[in-house]
Amino acid sequence: MSKSFYVTTPIFYVNDAPHIGHAYTEVASDVLTRWHRQRGENTFLLTGTDEHGEKVLRSALGNHVSPKEWTDKLVTESWLPLLETIDIDNQDFIRTTEPRHKVAVQKFLQQLYDGGFIYQGSFEGNYCVGCEEYKNDGDLVLGTLEFAGVKVCAIHSKPVEQLNETNYFFKLSDFQQRLLDHYEQNPTFIQPESARNEVISFVRSGLSDLSISRSKERFDWGIDIPWDQNHITYVWFDALLNYITAIGYGVDDEKLNSLWPADVQVVGKDILRFHAVIWPAMLMAAELLPPKQVFGHGWLLVGGEKMSKSKLTGIAPTQITDIFGSDAFRYYFMKAIGFGSDGSFSWEDLSARYNSELANGFGNLASRTIAMVNRYFDGVVQAPGEYLEADLRVQRVAIEAVTGAEAAIDKVAIHDAIAKSWLLVDELNSYITQQEPWVLAKQESNNERLATVLYTALEGLRVLATLLNPITPKACKKLWGAIGESIGELDSQSVTNAASWGQLAPGVKLGELEALFPRVEEQ
Ligand code: MSP
């Protein structure tokens, strides 16, 4: 079996319902996967939920239900529906409470224990339940308002808890040099560059061993340590393993080898160290390869801080999709925020981009072109005549858009892939304005020129439908329904060959076009 392009999202804590920050990670991962699929690669997108640990347990107890009832409810009522809301085409969804995960986690732990990578010790430190992580002094800041004068977690702005426990440790410190060598030999392993530099200097400053179990005397919502029934597995150690337990680790080597190592693991920058330091070390200990790339994206900010439910700044994805639809959600967040940088969401910016870029820029281009083919040629695609310089220019811009977008995707610069694709949207709009097909249509003698202009515009739309399908799949399917059905399925159109001109066959009758981005009433 040939290796598939394997993309993962982080698995989400089910302490609460999703907000647009979570949806952001999902959309980026989905866009990458769809793009690679349209390169003709086999692809696999994994997402899921992180259900153990104190954070989830406390929210269940706070809601007066058992953690199992709580996680079942949130997964069915909030997290699975999120995938529909933002149109995620994932191949699997793993819950860490599933038997397939638990069994494989225990197998992995046992392998590391037998290999001498785990020992018993005691530890004292500051723990942030929000992050599910021990914090160094450098990770704490002085609190404000109700926590003024107290040291709090820099991410959650809440005080940390003093923990003192005897538990099991993973010999993370043994891997310092191997990790540094790995970063050096694989310069794109951690991206973007700023994230890579941050991780390298963190690892250079020295690694402590990692506490990977919790005593059941405190709580028992987790996976049992296989050799000691009094301990459960630390939630991050359990969670990171989802990336391999979902694809057959310990039970199906063929499947594992067809997917692992993952090609891109998309994570928010807050959880980069777990993925770029602890995770590859765990894999090295188990004699598995690290993923090919970990990409740490930025945060959606509110008032300069990371958007979060606990700070009551979370916006539900449906608040946006109910008005603008999933395509606009996907387009907006992928285009407006450089992937890898932080960014803020604004209703004004979303609404302005929806109108100018999607509805007027792309949607109108499609509806005008198809309306003209209907009006002047009864909806039948005409054979083009001789191409003039303006037509050839459109063909050149199409090549530039495809080549540029492809190169951007290789760098996981999704915003740039959209910007490059938009060169063609803009070019086609000015081409139509300049060629004035409505003027050509007034004289029968211009018929061949009119046919060439409209064929060029239709071909341009075909390229756009192919290129933008990973970003705005619903709109592109509508467009394809009108222009491309005779060529084949849109999802199997190659992005790489999209600009090779002349794929629409003359003589084909166009289908009906539904508005790609319907007008949104002012609210
Ligand atoms: N459960 C862990 C991940 C385990 S992966 C083995 C976790 N869960 S989370 O639900 O808190 O966050 C999941 C993802 O959502 C992270 O990548 C995080 O960065 C992302 N986001 C949460 N809030 C966000 C923003 N405000 N902006 C962008 N992404 C954000 O961490």
Side-chain angles (χ1 to χ4, degrees):
M1 211 193 295
S2 69
K3 163 94 175 65
S4 297
F5 193 86
Y6 179 32
V7 181
T8 66
T9 76
I11 50 170
F12 300 89
Y13 287 129
V14 284
N15 57 317
D16 211 333
H19 60 64
I20 58 177
H22 303 120
Y24 179 69
T25 311
E26 287 277 4
V27 168
S29 311
D30 184 62
V31 166
L32 279 180
T33 315
R34 288 180 189 252
W35 197 288
H36 279 268
R37 189 169 315 147
Q38 276 190 247
R39 281 183 181 175
E41 297 167 41
N42 286 328
T43 54
F44 195 96
L45 173 63
L46 175 69
T47 187
T49 41
D50 187 356
E51 306 191 10
H52 293 127
E54 271 183 287
K55 179 175 170 124
V56 172
L57 176 65
R58 286 187 193 181
S59 70
L61 298 180
N63 284 279
H64 314 291
V65 289
S66 72
K68 176 81 179 99
E69 282 170 287
W70 180 244
T71 54
D72 283 351
K73 179 179 157 70
L74 275 179
V75 169
T76 5
E77 292 177 7
S78 301
W79 289 93
L80 286 172
L82 170 71
L83 305 177
E84 295 280 311
T85 303
I86 50 174
D87 211 356
I88 303 299
D89 187 8
N90 55 307
Q91 279 54 65
D92 200 351
F93 185 96
I94 184 153
R95 301 182 54 181
T96 53
T97 46
E98 285 175 60
R100 64 167 168 161
H101 176 72
K102 293 192 203 175
V103 169
V105 167
Q106 291 190 323
K107 201 159 193 169
F108 188 94
L109 277 164
Q110 192 67 53
Q111 187 183 341
L112 263 53
Y113 188 63
D114 295 344
F117 293 103
I118 292 176
Y119 65 94
Q120 196 167 32
S122 65
F123 192 76
E124 193 176 340
N126 292 313
Y127 194 76
C128 170
V129 176
C131 293
E132 292 280 18
E133 183 183 14
Y134 278 108
K135 296 284 176 181
N136 300 324
D137 268 359
D139 300 324
L140 304 179
V141 294
L142 272 183
T144 52
L145 304 172
E146 53 180 317
F147 302 124
V150 179
K151 284 204 166 171
V152 298
C153 162
I155 296 175
H156 289 90
S157 308
K158 289 206 179 125
V160 285
E161 297 173 23
Q162 269 283 317
L163 289 191
N164 182 351
E165 277 202 359
T166 296
N167 42 35
Y168 291 95
F169 285 77
F170 168 54
K171 288 187 180 167
L172 182 61
S173 58
D174 277 7
F175 291 88
Q176 180 175 4
Q177 196 50 49
R178 275 185 74 182
L179 286 168
L180 289 171
D181 292 346
H182 188 76
Y183 304 149
E184 196 179 317
Q185 285 153 18
N186 301 276
T188 54
F189 172 61
I190 305 166
Q191 286 294 304
E193 210 50 31
S194 54
R196 169 181 154 83
N197 295 336
E198 199 259 1
V199 169
I200 292 179
S201 69
F202 172 76
V203 175
R204 279 210 184 111
S205 72
L207 294 176
S208 311
D209 290 344
L210 177 74
S211 150
I212 57 151
S213 74
R214 296 290 179 265
S215 159
K216 281 194 189 167
E217 278 169 23
R218 271 199 327 114
F219 70 98
D220 69 352
W221 179 236
I223 300 175
D224 280 353
I225 293 286
W227 60 88
D228 185 341
Q229 299 305 302
N230 298 318
H231 286 258
I232 51 164
T233 311
Y234 167 45
V235 62
W236 266 102
F237 202 87
D238 150 0
L240 286 164
L241 287 168
N242 89 87
Y243 303 127
I244 55 172
T245 62
I247 57 164
Y249 167 79
V251 287
D252 185 349
D253 281 349
E254 198 184 338
K255 183 167 182 191
L256 184 72
N257 294 332
S258 74
L259 290 162
W260 195 259
D263 292 85
V264 189
Q265 299 211 263
V266 177
V267 300
K269 64 181 183 182
D270 47 323
I271 57 172
L272 182 67
R273 284 186 198 168
F274 287 101
H275 287 83
V277 181
I278 297 173
W279 177 224
M282 286 164 63
L283 290 161
M284 287 171 181
E287 288 169 24
L288 286 165
L289 289 172
K292 290 189 190 157
Q293 184 169 82
V294 176
F295 194 100
H297 66 68
W299 287 337
L300 302 191
L301 304 174
V302 176
E305 288 190 33
K306 177 174 172 243
M307 172 181 293
S308 86
K309 269 279 167 87
S310 60
K311 290 183 181 165
L312 303 177
T313 51
I315 298 172
T318 46
Q319 281 179 262
I320 294 176
T321 55
D322 285 351
I323 302 170
F324 292 96
S326 58
D327 276 357
F329 186 103
R330 297 166 61 97
Y331 173 82
Y332 175 75
F333 286 105
M334 292 300 104
K335 174 78 195 304
I337 303 170
F339 199 58
S341 309
D342 292 342
S344 301
F345 162 74
S346 109
W347 285 102
E348 289 75 21
D349 191 30
L350 167 63
S351 172
R353 284 177 186 271
Y354 182 86
N355 288 323
S356 71
E357 295 168 22
L358 290 177
N360 293 335
F362 182 26
N364 243 348
L365 171 69
S367 58
R368 284 161 86 196
T369 305
I370 290 167
M372 286 189 281
V373 179
N374 286 337
R375 189 170 324 126
Y376 306 137
F377 295 117
D378 284 333
V380 175
V381 178
Q382 302 297 299
E386 189 195 347
Y387 286 128
L388 305 184
E389 174 49 27
D391 318 323
L392 294 170
R393 192 187 136 84
V394 172
Q395 299 181 23
R396 283 197 301 272
V397 173
I399 293 173
E400 194 188 337
V402 170
T403 324
E406 283 273 77
I409 287 295
D410 282 335
K411 290 190 248 150
V412 198
I414 302 175
H415 55 288
D416 195 30
I418 301 179
K420 291 292 185 315
S421 309
W422 232 255
L423 292 175
L424 184 56
V425 174
D426 293 339
E427 171 63 24
L428 286 169
N429 275 314
S430 43
Y431 173 78
I432 290 182
T433 310
Q434 281 159 15
Q435 298 303 313
E436 300 181 305
W438 49 91
V439 175
L440 294 173
K442 287 185 182 147
Q443 280 192 26
E444 188 110 14
S445 58
N446 288 329
N447 234 14
E448 183 180 318
R449 183 65 202 143
L450 179 62
T452 310
V453 168
L454 290 180
Y455 186 80
T456 300
L458 282 176
E459 269 285 290
L461 285 176
R462 175 192 58 73
V463 178
L464 285 177
T466 306
L467 210 51
L468 295 172
N469 189 37
I471 321 281
T472 53
K474 288 204 170 94
C476 291
K477 296 227 163 57
K478 286 184 194 168
L479 176 55
W480 200 251
I483 67 169
E485 287 287 66
S486 63
I487 303 178
E489 291 248 319
L490 177 57
D491 286 344
S492 47
Q493 297 307 303
S494 154
V495 275
T496 322
N497 298 330
S500 94
W501 212 253
Q503 298 184 32
L504 280 178
V508 164
K509 177 109 168 90
L510 297 185
E512 289 287 309
L513 181 73
E514 260 182 81
L516 301 191
F517 301 98
R519 173 172 285 284
V520 167
E521 296 307 325
E522 289 281 324
Q523 300 246 330

